[in-house]
């Protein structure tokens, strides 16, 4: 396998006064992929010689803009095109029970986002925005009478809100000292649905509608500790949004789950000692259904685990 990728690009920032800037850009992608060697035939009882090449030439555009609302806050907006070529692993998946559409096409689309970000003195950091993603010719797995089938399922649209907020009440309402406490929240609310084909109106697989992470950090002199709650909503394993698994265990619901993590750090001069527990409550959950190795079936996530680390900075 060989891949040659040449990608010249150009961009420039244009400033209009002190508060407004616009940055357009162009990127030209030249991709040439080759294969040469032997692979199993369709019946997997012999080998056939493969010697082929594919060349793609793609022009991608994008533009970003920013408006400073104060010395520490700004409103931003971006639009950019996207492109995802199929690769050899998409056409010839190893260790899979799925059949593959020989007419697979490259995926493409574009992304839009608009947001407000910045900080307030030293006690508040935030970034709140909305986004829209168009994904054409999305590749996925659908259930057929002959089993799982990997193909260009349809076009999809993804829209939602992403936000990050970090706030320290100690810094906001008290004099600086050895003790500090802050909490943070990272939230993604997403609606991702197919908008064409047989599955129009169905949710895109592996696209939970809510991903919410809330945590708090306390620090006293050289010791700090962080507690994190990560909650992920339910999603589906295939484009049909089947609620129960098929015989191949690819289609079916991926239930919502919540995971707790805790860590403790001690710092002294240039040294630090870390201790932590991932999946503190030993939650049993899974995030993926697969037709490939080590499946077919669900891939369970790790249970409770501990770690210890030592660091030094010179």
């Amino acid at each position: 396998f060989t891949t040659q990728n040449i990608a010249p690009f150009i961009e420039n920032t244009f400033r209009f006064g002190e508060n407004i800037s616009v940055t357009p850009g162009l990127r030209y992608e030249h991709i040439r992929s080759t294969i040469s060697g032997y692979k199993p035939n369709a019946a997997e009882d012999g080998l056939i010689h493969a010697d082929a090449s594919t060349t793609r030439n793609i022009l991608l555009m994008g533009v970003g803009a920013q408006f400073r609302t104060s010395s520490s806050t700004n409103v931003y907006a971006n639009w950019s095109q996207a492109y995802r070529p199929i690769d050899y692993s998409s056409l010839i998946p190893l260790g899979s029970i799925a059949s593959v559409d020989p007419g697979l096409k490259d995926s493409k689309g574009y992304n839009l986002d608009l947001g407000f970000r910045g900080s307030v003195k030293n006690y508040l950091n935030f970034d709140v925005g909305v986004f829209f993603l168009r994904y054409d010719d999305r590749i996925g797995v659908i259930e057929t009478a002959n089993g799982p089938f990997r193909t260009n399922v349809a076009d999809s649209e993804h829209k939602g809100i992403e936000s990050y907020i970090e706030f320290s009440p100690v810094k906001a309402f008290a004099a600086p000292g050895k003790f500090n406490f802050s909490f943070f929240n990272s939230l993604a609310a997403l609606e991702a649905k197919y908008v064409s084909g047989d599955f129009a109106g169905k949710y895109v697989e592996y696209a939970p509608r809510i991903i919410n992470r809330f945590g708090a950090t306390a620090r006293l002199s050289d010791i700090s500790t962080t507690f994190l709650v990560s909650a992920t909503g339910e999603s589906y394993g295939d484009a049909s949004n089947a609620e129960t698994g098929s015989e191949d265990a690819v289609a079916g619901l991926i239930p919502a789950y919540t995971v707790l993590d805790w860590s403790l750090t001690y710092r002294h001069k240039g040294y630090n000692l870390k201790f932590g527990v991932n999946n503190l409550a030993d939650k049993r959950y899974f995030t993926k259904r697969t037709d490939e190795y080590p499946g077919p079936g669900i891939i369970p996530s790790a249970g409770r685990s501990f770690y210890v680390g030592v660091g030094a900075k010179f």
Side-chain angles (χ1 to χ4, degrees), residues 61-244:
M61 297 180 287
V63 61
Q66 180 176 274
F67 174 69
R68 292 181 58 190
T69 53
S70 72
S71 60
S72 60
T73 61
N74 63 75
V75 176
Y76 62 90
N78 300 281
W79 171 83
S80 60
Q81 291 179 306
Y83 179 79
R84 183 177 184 178
I86 58 173
D87 55 23
Y88 189 79
S89 64
S90 298
L91 294 169
I92 312 291
L94 300 177
S96 173
I97 61 173
S99 56
V100 180
D101 184 351
L104 276 181
K105 298 182 291 185
D106 298 334
S107 301
K108 58 184 178 180
Y110 62 88
N111 183 72
L112 283 163
D113 65 81
L114 172 67
F116 181 50
R117 63 189 173 194
S119 61
V120 177
K121 296 182 178 180
N122 65 340
Y123 59 81
L124 176 65
N125 295 301
F126 64 91
D127 189 341
V128 181
V130 296
F131 65 88
F132 176 85
L133 169 67
R134 174 77 183 198
Y135 197 154
D136 293 339
D137 293 321
R138 180 185 179 91
I139 295 175
V141 177
I142 61 175
E143 285 295 304
T144 67
N146 297 320
F149 184 59
R150 181 172 296 178
T151 185
N152 295 99
V153 177
D155 302 338
S156 64
E157 291 183 351
H158 309 233
K159 50 191 174 183
I161 299 172
E162 288 184 326
S163 67
Y164 176 79
I165 298 175
E166 183 178 6
F167 176 66
S168 172
V170 175
K171 292 181 179 180
F173 304 115
K178 293 183 178 181
F179 175 75
N180 185 38
F181 173 80
S182 63
F183 61 84
F184 54 90
N185 177 253
S186 176
L187 172 68
L190 168 69
E191 183 179 78
K193 289 186 175 182
Y194 287 105
V195 293
S196 66
D198 296 337
F199 300 103
K202 297 287 189 179
Y203 288 102
V204 172
E205 57 269 37
Y206 300 109
R209 276 160 275 181
I210 291 290
I211 300 176
N212 189 29
R213 294 182 173 89
F214 178 83
T217 297
R219 180 178 290 107
L220 178 61
S221 297
D222 295 332
I223 300 176
S224 64
T225 183
T226 298
F227 183 74
L228 176 66
V229 181
S230 302
T232 302
E234 66 181 24
S235 60
Y236 297 96
D238 79 322
S240 71
N241 291 180
E243 293 285 345
T244 58

Side-chain angles (χ1 to χ4, degrees), residues 273-309:
L273 175 65
K274 297 180 180 180
F275 171 79
V277 185
N278 292 327
N279 195 358
L280 184 65
D282 202 22
K283 178 71 174 181
R284 303 303 180 188
Y285 67 101
F286 67 95
T287 62
K288 186 175 178 62
R289 294 176 178 269
T290 182
D291 62 331
E292 299 182 3
Y293 181 85
I298 64 172
I299 305 298
S301 294
R304 183 188 297 119
S305 62
F306 302 84
Y307 64 89
V308 176

